[in-house]
Amino acid sequence: MPEKKWMPRWFYQLASPKWCYQITGKLLPIFAWLALLCLGVGIVWALAFAPPDYQQGNSFRIMYLHVPAAILAQSCYMLMAIAGAIGLIWKMKVADMAAFAAAPIGASMAVLALATGAIWGKPTWGSWWVWDARLTSMLILLFLYLGVMALYAAMENPNTAAKAASILSLVGLVNIPIIKYSVEWWNTLHQPATFKLTEKPAMPVEMWLPLLIMVIGFYCFFAVSLMMRLRNEILRREKRASWVRELIVSQ
Amino acid sequence: MNPKRKQRLALVLLLVVGVSVAVGLALYALNQNINLFYSPTQIVGGEAPKDTRIRAGGMVVEGSVKRDQESLRVQFAMTDYAEEVLVEYTGILPDLFREGQGIVAQGAIDGNGVFQAVEVLAKHDENYMPPEVAEALEAAGKMPKPAEEVFNK
Amino acid sequence: MVEETNIATISMSQQFSAALKRDLLLSFRRKSDLFNPLIFFLMVATLFPLGVSPEPTFLADVAPGVVWVAALLATLLSLDGMFRSDYDDGTLEQMLLSPQPLMIVCLAKTLAHWMTTGLPLTLMSPLLGVMLFLPSDAMLGLVLSLLIGTPTLSFIGAIGAALTVGLKKGGILISLLVLPLYIPVLIFGSGAVQAAVAGLPIGGYLALLGAGLALGFVLAPLATSAAVRVSVSG
């Protein structure tokens, strides 16, 4: 098929469950160590050495969990939707499996972001929960994750389930810009972003550096859990393939 | 053009038209004050409806907080650096409530133009800094203040 | 060969109106499909004065939200039937095999669904407004918001219905899939009515509902037809 040459080679290699299983097996320990290192350093630095805020005192430190969890909940949704789209368009099985693997991780990140946000909101704003645009759209994100997971659970044929869930997650993608810009469009109680790609962060280095490390650590942790779930899923769905049998026999 | 291509072109055109209509309407809506949020300037200017549940935001004016000795009643003034509005509230204020702090209050304006709040929440901005830095900035008079437009959306 | 070109020359608008007529005719033949959501709408609205408080000022306060939630639930209830019978008797499969784009059929079906649920609900809403002591100034806002908002509910709902039509127990699952996407419509819909009650301009809310409708109109038939394909072939 000559018309397919415009995609890079690794893209097609990824489509092979076997190749994907092998490469994630090599990458997994690297990311696991990175995650351990970043989260360890980040937590100790954030909780013990970063200076307290001039207004919020020590309670602002929950940011070091809240912000990475919230960022990850959104990027995980993006990943799920994009993987789903790839699965729909190129009929790539591994992409379907990755979308399936991502859903519960994203949902738990959304729960973590909402829970830490509530704990942070009480001392700062004076309320556990406010029905403003940012919080509501984040809650909708959690519901979308739960809907996608329910759809996976309801369908017995994994291929049909993957296609259906991909369509649903693509539809739900409209929520992501709403979450991102809700603090700018409406006058929400939630603060605008402290980190912006285009500007200097609105906090000193000794505060944002541990945050950055935590964000990287969360991403590495996400990669690790995604790869672990993906490898499981590959083995489960490819259980009839000869290479899986050989793998199991050899162990 | 064959019919298949014609269909595709029609579909793409429809998509572009639909999305641009949606964007146009959304932009129009964002210019309306949809979440009933008013700044002190708008309240003083009479733009905000009276006796209707609205939200208002501003900075607590230095030295304006008066607490009732008997009850939990508090009175303070709120400003957007242009106009001031008196706010009355009965209840427990958030820990972060202090003079010079940004707040968002929910309530209604009474006949005297005083904002009767049923809920006062502290709004934290995106600036974080250690106490020493804050003191130094304060001394130098370079403390970052929320821009006026934060309360004038 | 001659027959094939004949099929291909049916224009998209002809196909659309044929599908729309068929669906409307079907639902008028089955009167219960037409009236059940309306009765449900009325009953849910009755629960609030009886279950919470019959006090007029309280009811007037909650009326915008109650009418909107009731309309939303009534729409939700009727979604499962949208593709169900066509799926069961194989009609949907035939539509999928026809040379015309499936999108057009989906658009027609969604519109037929709105005309048989959303539109009657909208027309009936002033009655509920009166029952719940909604100020008469706000009636126009209520009807307008439902008129713009309920088609969006049908468009989003069609996606959910198409995704679950292949499953035996689609009912609860549809709600799980569709309700999160309904939340914004509910917020701006009841917001419009609340603004109308307070005598504030409702243009902003209606514009947002309109933006949702425009997006739904162009994107939902795409997603619905893709979902129908998945459900029928899977």
Side-chain angles (χ1 to χ4, degrees), chain A residues 24 118 178:
Chain A
T24 46
I178 298 182

Side-chain angles (χ1 to χ4, degrees), chain C residues 55-223:
Chain C
E55 195 196 334
T57 50
F58 167 77
L59 283 176
D61 271 356
V62 298
V66 169
V67 177
W68 255 96
V69 169
L72 194 146
L73 292 178
T75 312
L76 200 62
L77 192 76
S78 62
L79 285 178
D80 196 41
M82 209 160 156
F83 293 101
R84 178 68 60 197
S85 63
D86 282 351
Y87 177 79
D88 288 343
D89 64 14
T91 316
L92 210 54
E93 207 160 341
Q94 295 303 317
M95 288 171 174
L96 214 140
L97 292 173
S98 85
Q100 274 80 29
L102 186 62
M103 253 186 77
I104 302 291
V105 180
C106 292
L107 183 64
K109 276 183 149 327
T110 314
L111 231 73
H113 176 263
W114 175 71
M115 287 163 85
T116 50
T117 46
L119 188 60
L121 289 177
T122 306
L123 296 176
M124 214 174 92
S125 60
L127 174 67
L128 271 76
V130 172
M131 278 167 64
L132 297 171
F133 303 98
L134 190 73
S136 52
D137 308 342
M139 283 306 174
L140 185 69
L142 179 69
V143 173
L144 276 179
S145 68
L146 282 169
L147 196 65
I148 307 175
T150 47
T152 317
L153 297 183
S154 291
F155 276 119
I156 299 171
I159 304 171
L163 282 174
T164 53
V165 72
L167 301 168
K168 286 209 176 59
K169 289 179 192 162
I172 296 184
L173 192 61
I174 284 196
S175 330
L176 283 187
L177 306 187
V178 162
L179 274 179
L181 298 164
Y182 274 6
I183 294 174
V185 185
L186 174 74
I187 291 173
F188 299 125
S190 62
V193 189
Q194 275 158 3
V197 170
L200 298 167
I202 58 172
Y205 294 97
L206 295 185
L208 277 177
L209 285 174
L213 180 56
L215 271 189
F217 181 80
V218 292
L219 295 179
L222 269 177

Side-chain angles (χ1 to χ4, degrees), chain A residues 20 76 78 117 158 161 190 192 197 201 226 250:
Chain A
C20 193
C76 181
M78 301 272 280
H190 195 285
L197 280 181
L226 184 72
S250 69

Side-chain angles (χ1 to χ4, degrees), chain A residues 226-238:
Chain A
L226 184 72
M227 283 193 272
M228 282 169 79
R229 283 182 53 84
L230 181 62
R231 283 161 67 81
N232 251 337
E233 193 56 23
I234 290 176
L235 288 187
R236 204 166 65 86
R237 291 222 201 141
E238 299 287 304

